[in-house]
Amino acid sequence: DLLKFIAHVEYQLGGKKAHCVHFTEEAAQAFLTREAELKLAEKTRSRRLDALRSFARWGARRSVRCWTGNPVDEIPSIRVPDRLARPFTVEDEARLLALALTGADRVLRALLYYTGARDEEICALRIGDVTRPVMLPDQTTILATVHIRGKGKKDRVVPLDPACWAILEDHLLTTADLRARDVQAHPLLRKPRTEHLPWSPAMIQRRHRDWGARASVAMCTAHRWRHAFATRMLNRGVDLRTIQVLMGHSSLATTEGYLKIVDRRK
């Protein structure tokens, strides 16, 4: 966020290198106005203003020369609308789950329902990211897992419901040559007639438009499965910290947002 501000100041200076003397209220206000003109989300603009405030406090603590007071002290906060997540209703989810899907489409639906993964995370999955279930000598079953690469390089391992593993296992046995030397690096969902080209998020969204039309579900998107996953876990009594780990949220505050949905329904 600070680099964005510095780039803006340097542009205003005609390409000259910015110096702390250029950190003024006018420069900060012009930067935020420009961000609003570019129609950046309120959440993004609010975060950038917070970054400028932290930068100003940092300079004040160190008595940076040419720092004239707090350059952003008089700039009003940017109000972020309280947008609640929109999970599928129980009825919508049931209609989507009742669709007769086959092949990779069935795998996609299972992963969305059972893991709450983002569409781009599912596109990035490789065959080697799926671990088979294990039966211990005392007959205890260790569930299958999937290794998900999340936003900001935050990886997580999510256990798979046996029903999800059954769908994945069938997919692997029928579509992949598990004896191939580099099969572990192959995409789990790959484009037809290819081995190394994964699905794109656009392919997932196209399928959701079709599913929504077939199941009569309005605003059918992949991300609503993620919201439904978190809400379902909360309704079943799973604690917030566990849901945070399963969802790959960097902040517990993000996970707490789902409490508002559950409370509203109650």
Side-chain angles (χ1 to χ4, degrees):
D1 290 327
L2 289 176
L3 288 174
K4 291 281 185 182
F5 171 65
I6 292 168
H8 170 82
V9 173
E10 290 178 344
Y11 176 78
Q12 294 297 319
L13 294 172
K16 296 179 182 178
K17 193 167 183 63
H19 187 264
C20 64
V21 73
H22 300 123
F23 185 23
T24 63
E25 181 178 349
E26 292 75 18
Q29 187 62 69
F31 169 65
L32 295 169
T33 300
R34 176 61 178 161
E35 299 282 272
E37 291 172 349
L38 293 174
K39 300 190 184 307
L40 267 69
E42 293 93 338
K43 185 176 181 180
T44 302
R45 291 189 286 119
S46 176
R47 190 190 67 237
R48 289 187 175 162
L49 177 54
D50 286 343
L52 293 178
R53 286 194 170 123
S54 296
F55 188 41
R57 289 194 296 269
W58 175 86
R61 285 197 304 271
R62 285 159 179 76
S63 300
V64 174
R65 287 188 301 171
C66 70
W67 217 277
T68 55
N70 187 328
V72 291
D73 212 21
E74 300 300 320
I75 297 179
S77 298
I78 298 171
R79 184 177 178 276
V80 179
D82 187 14
R83 295 192 180 98
L84 292 179
R86 299 188 63 181
F88 291 121
T89 65
V90 175
E91 295 75 19
D92 285 349
E93 197 171 62
R95 286 197 293 271
L96 289 168
L97 291 173
L99 289 176
L101 302 180
T102 59
D105 285 17
R106 186 166 172 249
V107 173
L108 170 64
R109 181 179 61 184
L111 288 170
L112 289 167
Y113 179 81
Y114 286 108
T115 70
R118 303 174 179 91
D119 52 1
E120 61 268 22
E121 293 172 344
I122 290 177
C123 292
L125 288 176
R126 298 187 291 256
I127 289 176
D129 293 326
V130 180
T131 303
R132 301 176 63 87
V134 177
M135 179 73 75
L136 299 180
D138 64 357
Q139 303 305 304
T140 300
T141 299
I142 304 298
L143 293 176
T145 62
V146 60
H147 175 201
I148 298 174
R149 295 167 187 81
K151 291 168 63 174
K153 298 182 180 179
K154 294 182 177 66
D155 291 11
R156 63 190 187 276
V157 176
V158 177
L160 296 176
D161 186 282
C164 185
W165 164 247
I167 294 171
L168 277 176
E169 183 179 35
D170 181 63
H171 172 71
L172 292 173
L173 291 174
T174 56
T175 63
D177 181 2
L178 299 179
R179 297 165 299 178
R181 181 170 55 85
D182 59 345
V183 69
Q184 298 299 305
H186 289 183
L188 183 63
L189 296 178
R190 58 186 186 272
K191 293 180 180 179
R193 296 179 295 279
T194 70
E195 289 185 347
H196 302 290
L197 295 178
W199 279 18
S200 66
M203 293 173 67
I204 293 178
Q205 294 307 334
R206 281 200 299 272
R207 280 164 171 77
H208 276 79
R209 286 193 291 272
D210 175 60
W211 296 357
R214 289 166 57 187
S216 299
V217 174
M219 295 180 63
C220 184
T221 65
H223 208 73
R224 293 188 72 187
W225 290 103
R226 181 170 168 81
H227 295 323
F229 173 83
T231 307
R232 193 184 325 125
M233 294 297 101
L234 273 176
N235 284 326
R236 292 179 179 178
V238 179
D239 65 274
L240 278 174
R241 173 59 182 152
T242 299
I243 297 173
Q244 178 192 4
V245 173
L246 292 175
M247 297 280 287
H249 288 154
S250 57
S251 170
L252 189 61
T254 305
T255 315
E256 286 175 341
Y258 291 101
L259 286 172
K260 298 177 182 177
I261 302 172
V262 176
D263 290 343
R264 184 180 61 182
R265 287 184 174 181
K266 287 179 179 178

